[in-house]
Every structure is written in structure tokens, then in C-alpha cells.
Amino acid sequence: METSNLNSQLAQLVADLEEDAVLELVEKRISAGDDPLQIIDECNEGMREVGLRYENGEYFVAGLIMSGEIFREVVERIQPLLEQQAEGKLSGRVLVGTVSGDIHDIGKNMFGMLLSCHGFDVIDLGVDVLPSVFADKALEIKPDFVGLSGLITASFETMKETITALRQKSEEYGLSFPVIIGGGMIDDQIRQYVGADYWMPDAMAGVRLCQELLDKKHTA
Ligand code: B12
């Protein structure tokens, strides 16, 4: 089982689903003043390895569930630190959700949490969200950005449908909402395929993009 060559002890422990040891090490690193986002990145690497072990038949769905639980507990410990570092001023509004057919929400929650920590008003539609629900909510709340998350191959199709629905509805009312997408298997080719405006490889990069775009909007 422990044949992989991961970059850190923390990633290795997450990959091996060593819940107690992960949490112990996270607590230790928090006390030592380590960068909370670095801790999350390392756990993320471990999660990718869990996915690979699942693909190889080494882990089953129970392993995926366990890894999700470990990650949730890590985030629970990291979140207060991020909130302390947060900037107080309120900036833009972002509508987020995981697209229809997909129930993965850890990355989407991370994006939402980091946005909130940076002063954004976040409206989270949850998981398995139908295209029409995204489109209706966007019209109702008129967000500055819409953030779509999707982790399974099937979500590419529903992302495309969601973006089409959003564009159709918003154009009827002379509006437009820039769409940012993210999720483990997404890259720029998928972005082009689904018709999103932007793709960001991680949640913090997504937050920085929202800040940049908002600054440009305000100075335009
Ligand atoms: C944990 C997990 C689960 C948990 C999810 C728990 C939860 N509450 O989310 C559970 C057990 C529910 C699950 C279920 C399934 N899973 Co799963 N799962 C995973 C696993 C191991 C980790 C995902 C994760 O949370 N990673 C950590 C987070 C932080 O990473 P992330 O989501 O990618 O987010 C980061 C960035 O992508 C970005 N981000 C994410 N979203 C967004 C959005 C925006 C706007 C921005 C800017 C950024 C951003 O920010 C985050 C960090 O900075 C992955 C492996 C992998 N490689 O991803 C498989 C994986 C995604 N699952 C997989 C599969 C197959 C399944 C199931 C079909 C299994 C089954 N037979 O039932 C079901 C799917 C059910 C469904 N319809 O959705 C496959 C998908 C393969 C494919 N080609 O489609 C993967 C890739 C595993 C694998 N290698 O085979 N899974």
C-alpha cells in the first residue's frame, strides 16, 4: 500500500488514510505557525493519491469516503486560521455550486470559504445543482461571478449545459455573469469545451482572480 512517492509526510498520511496521525500532524504544524494553505495543498496531494489507489482497485468507495472525512476534519482546524487572516472589507458577490450529477463538494467548499475569508458574499447552491437552478439564482441575485465545480468526467457535459442556460437567461435581460470553473480534472481544454470564461487550478487562485477582475471592473 505504501509504495507511492509523495512529497510530504502529511500527503503520505492522508493517502494512507491515517486519520489520527493526519490530525496530530496538522495540529503540530498549526502550532508551529506553518502556512495553512500549504497544509491544505499537501492534503490535496494525498487526496489525489487516494483517487489513484481507487482507480487501481487498491481502495474502494469506503476509502474515498474516509479521505473526504479526513479532509473535512483538516479544514475544520484550518478554517479559523484563515478567518483570522481575512480582510474585513466586503467586496463582490459570488454564486457557487457543484454541477448536476456530481456530489463532490470539498473543493467547492474550500473556494467558498476562502472567498468569504476575503470579504466576498458567497451564495452556495450546494451539490448536484441543475442548470436551470443556477440560471434562475444568478438572475435573482446578480452575482459578480459564478463559480462552478465538477470532479467527475460526466460533470463536463453538465457544466456546458449550465453555462449555456446561464448565458441564455442572462442575455434575455441584458446581463452577463463571468463563469469560473474548477475541479481536479479540469484544464484549459475543458474550459474551452464547456465555454467558461476562466479556469483556475486551485481555490486560492480562484479568489485572486475574482479580486483582480473586480478591481478592473471598479477602475474601468
Ligand atoms: C473524496 C472523494 C469522493 C467523496 C467526496 C466527498 C465530498 N464531500 O466531496 C465521495 C466518496 C462522495 C466520492 C464519490 C464518488 N467519486 Co470521488 N473522489 C474523491 C477524491 C478521492 C478526492 C476529491 C477531493 O475532495 N479532493 C480534494 C479537493 C480539495 O480537491 P478538488 O475538489 O479538486 O478542489 C481543488 C481544486 O480543484 C479547486 N476547485 C474545485 N472546485 C473549484 C471551483 C472553482 C470555481 C475554483 C476556482 C476552484 C475549484 O480548489 C480545490 C483546492 O484548491 C477524488 C480523487 C481526485 N483526484 O480528485 C475522487 C474522484 C473525483 N471520484 C471519482 C469517482 C469515480 C467517484 C464515484 C463515481 C465513485 C462511485 N463509484 O460511487 C462517486 C461519484 C458520485 C457523484 N455522482 O458525484 C473519480 C472520478 C473519475 C472520473 N473520471 O469521473 C475520482 C477522480 C477518483 C479516481 N481517480 O477514480 N468521491
Side-chain angles (χ1 to χ4, degrees):
M1 192 182 284
E2 284 148 48
T3 48
S4 50
N5 198 4
L6 294 165
N7 286 321
S8 75
Q9 189 195 1
L10 185 55
Q12 187 71 54
L13 290 172
V14 171
D16 294 337
L17 305 174
E18 294 284 354
E19 185 177 14
D20 293 344
V22 168
L23 298 178
E24 202 180 303
L25 183 55
V26 166
E27 302 274 5
K28 228 191 248 170
R29 296 209 18 202
I30 290 175
S31 307
D34 276 10
D35 176 5
L37 288 175
Q38 171 66 26
I39 296 177
I40 292 284
D41 276 353
E42 289 175 28
C43 291
N44 222 341
E45 191 195 349
M47 297 292 272
R48 285 194 292 274
E49 176 65 20
V50 169
L52 292 176
R53 291 182 187 182
Y54 170 77
E55 263 176 29
N56 296 338
E58 207 175 316
Y59 285 168
F60 301 101
V61 173
L64 298 181
I65 296 173
M66 184 73 200
S67 71
E69 180 54 24
I70 294 175
F71 203 93
R72 191 190 58 74
E73 290 185 84
V74 171
V75 171
E76 218 171 76
R77 286 159 175 77
I78 296 287
Q79 190 163 353
L81 296 178
L82 294 170
E83 281 166 357
Q84 274 167 26
Q85 295 173 1
E87 300 153 17
K89 65 177 171 44
L90 198 65
S91 39
R93 171 176 289 181
V94 188
L95 178 64
V96 301
T98 301
V99 295
S100 180
D102 195 334
I103 60 164
H104 294 86
D105 67 358
I106 298 174
K108 183 261 302 164
N109 292 348
M110 178 128 300
F111 181 50
M113 175 189 74
L114 289 171
L115 280 168
S116 299
C117 288
H118 287 80
F120 284 85
D121 179 19
V122 179
I123 292 88
D124 186 343
L125 292 175
V127 297
D128 193 12
V129 182
L130 287 171
S132 59
V133 173
F134 270 112
D136 290 345
K137 196 69 184 175
L139 271 187
E140 180 195 327
I141 64 165
K142 301 182 182 52
D144 295 286
F145 311 104
V146 177
L148 304 180
S149 185
L151 267 84
I152 54 175
T153 319
S155 69
F156 304 158
E157 216 47 58
T158 45
M159 264 186 185
K160 194 175 179 174
E161 288 166 19
T162 305
I163 293 168
T164 307
L166 262 169
R167 297 252 153 87
Q168 270 172 3
K169 273 258 173 163
S170 51
E171 273 166 22
E172 275 175 39
Y173 293 85
L175 298 166
S176 84
F177 308 111
V179 178
I180 308 167
I181 60 169
M185 287 191 300
I186 292 179
D187 57 20
D188 199 59
Q189 221 177 327
I190 305 291
R191 181 198 66 74
Q192 286 177 35
Y193 174 73
V194 303
D197 299 285
Y198 306 94
W199 154 67
M200 280 291 133
D202 72 76
M204 196 55 221
V207 174
R208 295 214 176 89
L209 174 72
C210 290
Q211 289 175 319
E212 263 170 47
L213 294 173
L214 211 60
D215 277 351
K216 275 191 197 148
K217 196 167 151 184
H218 289 156
T219 52

